[in-house]
Amino acid sequence: SKTSTILDPSFEKGWSRLLRCSIILGLTVTARQVLTKLEELGAKSREETEQVELLEANREATLAAHQSGDMARALDSMDRALQLATHSLPLQAARAESLASLGRYGEAAEQAIAVLQADPDMLEAHYILGLCLYYEDQIEKSFTHFTKVLNIDMNHTKTNEVYRKAMYFKNKREDALAAFRMGDWVTAFRQFTAALTIDPTNRNANKKLYVGRAQTAVQLKYAPPEVIADCNSALLIDPTMMGALMTKAQAFMEMEAF
C-alpha cells in the first residue's frame, strides 16, 4: 500500500489500504497523516476516523490508569484497543506487562511468548517473559531473557532492576541452602531471613524460604510458635505445601497440641 502511494500520490485505494493497515498495527500517528491525505483527495473515511479516535482515547485512558496505579483499568483499556489494533505487538507487550503487574504471570507469559513468536528480538517481550519466570520461581530461565535484553540495551532500566534483584535473591537462597545442608543452622537461619527481605512480592519463591527457615528454627530449638508462624506464612501462599504442613504438625506435637 505504501509503495503504491509513493508511485501515485493520488491513488486513493492505496491510501485507504495504508489507513487500514495503520489501524490494525495501532499506528495512530501514521493513520492521522493518511486521513489528512485522504481528506485532501476528497475521500470519506468516517468509520476509520472513529476507529483512530477510539484508539487514541484508549491510549490516553491506559496512560491515566498506569499513572494512578490502576492496572485492571489499564488492562481493560488495552483490551478495547486490541479489538481494533489486532496486530499491534507493542500493545500486546504492554498488555502482558499489565497482566504481570496484576500477578497473572501465566497469562502474561503466554502473551509475551506470542509476541516473541512474531518478533523474536522484541526487548520488552523478553523482559516481561523473564519477569514472569522470576515470579514463577524459575530464576535460572529468567536470566536467559534478561541477558538477551541487556546484551542489546545495557541501560534497559526495568531489566537491570529486576535482574540485579533476581541475582541477589538467587545468591542468598543458595547460601541459605548450602548452610542448611552443612548443618550450619545459625548461618542458614540468617541467610533465609536475608533472602526473605529481598522481594516480598515473589510469593512462589518466598513460600519455600519460609519453610526452610521454619525447618532451621526446629534445628535451633526455637519455640514452636515461631516455627508455626513461618509455616503459616508459607501456607497463606500455598495451602497445600507439604513441607509447611509437616513442619507445622511437628511443632504442634512438640507443644503437645495434637
Side-chain angles (χ1 to χ4, degrees):
S1 300
K2 192 170 184 180
T3 302
S4 68
T5 60
I6 294 172
L7 294 173
D8 183 0
S10 65
F11 185 42
E12 184 181 314
K13 286 186 177 179
W15 287 109
S16 295
R17 292 193 194 104
L18 181 57
L19 176 57
R20 287 193 292 273
C21 288
S22 298
I23 290 170
I24 67 171
L25 291 172
L27 304 174
T28 53
V29 173
T30 301
R32 281 290 181 191
Q33 293 169 345
V34 176
L35 282 169
T36 300
K37 183 62 180 180
L38 284 168
E39 187 177 349
E40 292 172 358
L41 295 174
K44 303 288 186 182
S45 307
R46 182 175 178 179
E47 180 181 352
E48 288 82 358
T49 300
E50 290 176 351
Q51 290 175 345
V52 173
E53 289 172 349
L54 281 171
L55 283 175
E56 291 171 337
N58 280 307
R59 179 171 293 169
E60 290 300 318
T62 299
L63 289 172
H66 270 291
Q67 289 170 356
S68 65
D70 190 344
M71 292 298 106
R73 186 158 59 90
L75 183 62
D76 183 62
S77 296
M78 282 185 279
D79 282 340
R80 287 198 300 272
L82 280 165
Q83 291 176 5
L84 296 171
T86 54
H87 290 64
S88 173
L89 295 182
L91 189 52
Q92 291 174 35
R95 181 180 187 274
E97 188 167 6
S98 289
L99 285 168
S101 297
L102 290 167
R104 294 160 62 177
Y105 301 116
E107 294 173 74
E110 287 179 8
Q111 182 86 76
I113 289 169
V115 171
L116 289 171
Q117 287 173 341
D119 182 358
D121 296 321
M122 188 173 186
L123 298 189
E124 282 301 309
H126 278 290
Y127 157 70
I128 295 160
L129 185 51
L131 184 72
C132 293
L133 290 167
Y134 165 65
Y135 280 113
E136 290 291 346
D137 197 23
Q138 300 183 54
I139 294 180
E140 292 290 348
K141 289 183 180 179
S142 76
F143 290 157
T144 300
H145 297 280
F146 294 148
T147 53
K148 170 78 172 180
V149 175
L150 296 174
N151 284 339
I152 297 172
D153 180 7
M154 63 183 297
N155 295 315
H156 195 278
T157 305
K158 291 183 291 187
T159 300
N160 270 308
E161 180 181 337
V162 70
Y163 182 52
R164 284 196 297 268
K165 182 162 57 178
M167 184 63 75
Y168 185 49
F169 180 87
K170 171 180 174 290
N171 291 338
K172 281 294 179 186
R173 181 167 65 178
E174 287 179 352
D175 289 345
L177 293 172
F180 186 91
R181 286 191 293 267
M182 293 172 61
D184 184 352
W185 311 121
V186 173
T187 300
F189 191 89
R190 185 171 62 248
Q191 296 293 0
F192 278 125
T193 300
L196 278 164
T197 66
I198 294 169
D199 188 356
T201 64
N202 195 338
R203 291 161 56 83
N204 283 310
N206 287 343
K207 67 183 182 183
K208 300 171 186 175
L209 295 176
Y210 279 120
V211 174
R213 189 168 71 173
Q215 292 172 342
T216 304
V218 169
Q219 297 295 329
L220 289 167
K221 308 298 183 185
Y222 283 9
E226 190 168 346
V227 175
I228 291 168
D230 270 351
C231 292
N232 285 340
S233 294
L235 292 169
L236 282 173
I237 300 169
D238 180 0
T240 66
M241 193 170 187
M242 190 57 64
L245 291 168
M246 293 180 66
T247 305
K248 183 178 180 179
Q250 180 182 353
F252 271 116
M253 291 176 68
E254 290 186 13
M255 292 172 64
E256 296 184 347
F258 57 97

